[in-house]
Structures are given as structure tokens and as C-alpha cells.
Amino acid sequence: MNLFDLTGKVALVTGCKRGIGKGMAEALAEAGADIIGVSANLELEGSDIEKAVLLRGRKFKAYQADFSNRDSLYAFIEKVKRENPVIDILINNAGTIMRKPAAEHPDDYWDSVIDVNLNSQFILSREIGKEMVLRGSGKIIFTASLLTFQGGITVPGYAASKGAIGSLTKALANEWASKGVNVNAIAPGYIATDNTAALQKDEVRSTQILARIPAGRWGNPDDFKGATIFLASNASDYVHGTILTVDGGWMGR
């Protein structure tokens, strides 16, 4: 089990306040990592995720950043690198979704989604990843999506961003695999989080979705713990550029 041991590692988890990101941060802490958490509205003290990490005997540092704002993003990067010289694991999980049919999808929806889901994740990966390359070790994990493979409905910006995340994962892996840095992604299926609240409440769509999932249920954040620990640990040292689906069998249907 030492292959999965993260004792002594430091993990930066974006979008860690709730949902999948919170589950990922908890998993890394359970495996022994100390956690740096960042979300737009994360409490600097006393958050649920801080309590969860401390309960597991690990350290937690909280930061706030608006990933749709380039100045806020760069200010966060400067501060987090200054205060945490070594970041072993980067979880690019922060994301947003805005729904409106393509013919009515406004520029501000598109720009906001692309900034948060793609632009900020490239910049953060570049700035944290360059230090990993210099050290000769590191793990970067993106949160992709089923829409990395499919187009979705009424979410063109989200679909475009997640399709690009799949290609970015492979592009970075191609350059950094030989430098000791693993870059991979996890593609969630339909997970019961805030982002899917509208779908869960839609009786027709929810029934259609469940009918296609071989596992017969919506996923939950705990379903990502095993995949996260695997891709963050030495167990995945020869895994590069992979998009691992955690989807209850959706993509195999």
C-alpha cells in the first residue's frame, strides 16, 4: 500500500469548497497529504473542508481567488508559490457552467466559462508545473467531463472548455512525462453536485440519464477518492495523458 501513500506531500486543490473538489481534497488528506485549498468564496478559517482535513490529521491552508479574473489569478499564484515553495500535487478542479441554447449563448457566458475552466487552468498548470519540471517530479490532475467526449445540450462554452481540457492534458503530458511529471485527468459522469442541480430537478432528463447509467445511480463526490489517490501517488508513475472516466459505466454504454 506504500504505492498510494502521500505522507509528506503537499496538494493544491482548486474548487475545494464543495462537491467533487471537496471529495478530492478529503481523499488526498486521508492518504497523508497536506492540503492547500482555493475557491472563490472559500472561508479563510473554519470552512467545512478545513475541518475535514484537520480531522484527518493533516494541515490545511485556505486561499481565495476569482479564476475568471486574470489579475486575481496571478495574485493568487504569486502568493501561493511564495508561501508554499514546494507543491507536489496540483488538482485543477475549479469550474463553472452556464446554460443557454447556442443561438442565444451570450459572449459573457462564453468568456466566463472559458476563463475559469480553461484559461486559468492552463496558467496555473504552467506556473506550478514549471517548478515540478525543475524538481523532476510532480502530479497534475485535471477535472475533465463526459463533455470532453460528447457535446452536451445548451452548454457550448462548457463543452468547448472540457474538450480542450482533454487535449491540454495530453499536450502537457507529452512535454513533461520525460521530466518526471505526470499529467492526467478524471472525467466525472453525472454527479449529484451543485453543477447538476438543474438536471436532477428535471424529472424527464433525470430519468433519461439514470436509464443510461449501468450503475443505476448518480455519482457522488466520494466516488472520486480512489481515482484521485491513484493519479496523485506513485501507483500511477507510468500513467501519462490519460483521461480516466468515473461515470458509472456511461461511456461504455
Side-chain angles (χ1 to χ4, degrees):
M1 294 302 293
N2 287 342
L3 279 174
F4 300 93
D5 185 11
L6 299 178
T7 301
K9 302 295 185 181
V10 175
L12 169 56
V13 184
T14 73
C16 70
K17 184 174 179 177
R18 57 184 181 270
I20 293 172
K22 183 172 182 286
M24 291 170 129
E26 290 175 354
L28 295 169
E30 287 171 11
D34 293 325
I35 307 299
I36 302 166
V38 57
S39 292
N41 300 304
L42 180 64
E43 300 90 341
L44 295 181
E45 292 184 358
S47 66
D48 288 345
I49 182 56
E50 178 181 11
K51 293 173 185 176
V53 170
L54 296 179
L55 187 64
R56 289 159 171 81
R58 308 315 310 166
K59 298 176 183 176
F60 183 83
K61 290 184 181 179
Y63 294 83
Q64 292 179 344
D66 178 359
F67 283 3
S68 68
N69 181 290
R70 197 68 59 92
D71 291 337
S72 176
L73 172 63
Y74 274 109
F76 163 68
I77 291 171
E78 188 279 328
K79 184 176 183 181
V80 77
K81 288 178 68 173
R82 173 167 39 86
E83 296 180 355
N84 306 274
V86 176
I87 296 172
D88 303 288
I89 302 159
L90 170 61
I91 308 292
N92 277 311
N93 172 72
T96 190
I97 188 168
M98 293 185 174
R99 301 178 185 275
K100 191 160 282 193
E104 304 163 19
H105 209 79
D107 289 357
D108 59 323
Y109 275 34
W110 177 273
D111 291 343
S112 180
V113 170
I114 295 298
D115 278 338
V116 173
N117 292 8
L118 180 60
N119 294 341
S120 68
Q121 298 198 25
F122 168 68
I123 293 169
L124 190 56
S125 298
R126 182 188 66 204
E127 296 303 311
I128 302 298
K130 67 173 65 174
E131 307 299 335
M132 295 177 173
V133 168
L134 288 174
R135 290 196 308 272
S137 67
K139 303 280 185 173
I140 297 176
I141 304 169
F142 289 94
T143 297
S145 169
L146 292 182
L147 299 196
T148 300
F149 312 101
Q150 301 172 326
I153 301 170
T154 75
V155 287
Y158 184 84
S161 71
K162 291 302 185 177
I165 285 297
S167 292
L168 179 59
T169 297
K170 297 169 188 176
L172 295 181
N174 287 343
E175 293 194 36
W176 292 349
S178 64
K179 312 297 184 184
V181 179
N182 297 76
V183 185
N184 294 288
I186 297 173
Y190 284 92
I191 312 302
T193 65
D194 292 348
N195 271 1
T196 59
L199 289 176
Q200 294 175 65
K201 292 175 182 177
D202 184 328
E203 282 190 31
V204 174
R205 287 286 288 126
S206 183
T207 300
Q208 291 171 339
I209 288 166
L210 281 172
R212 176 168 166 166
I213 300 173
R217 66 172 176 86
W218 287 70
N220 65 71
D222 283 351
D223 291 320
F224 294 86
K225 289 186 173 182
T228 301
I229 293 171
F230 168 62
L231 291 178
S233 69
N234 290 341
S236 63
D237 280 353
Y238 197 59
V239 179
H240 297 277
T242 289
I243 303 170
L244 175 59
T245 55
V246 180
D247 63 354
W250 176 280
M251 288 301 296
R253 193 64 177 262

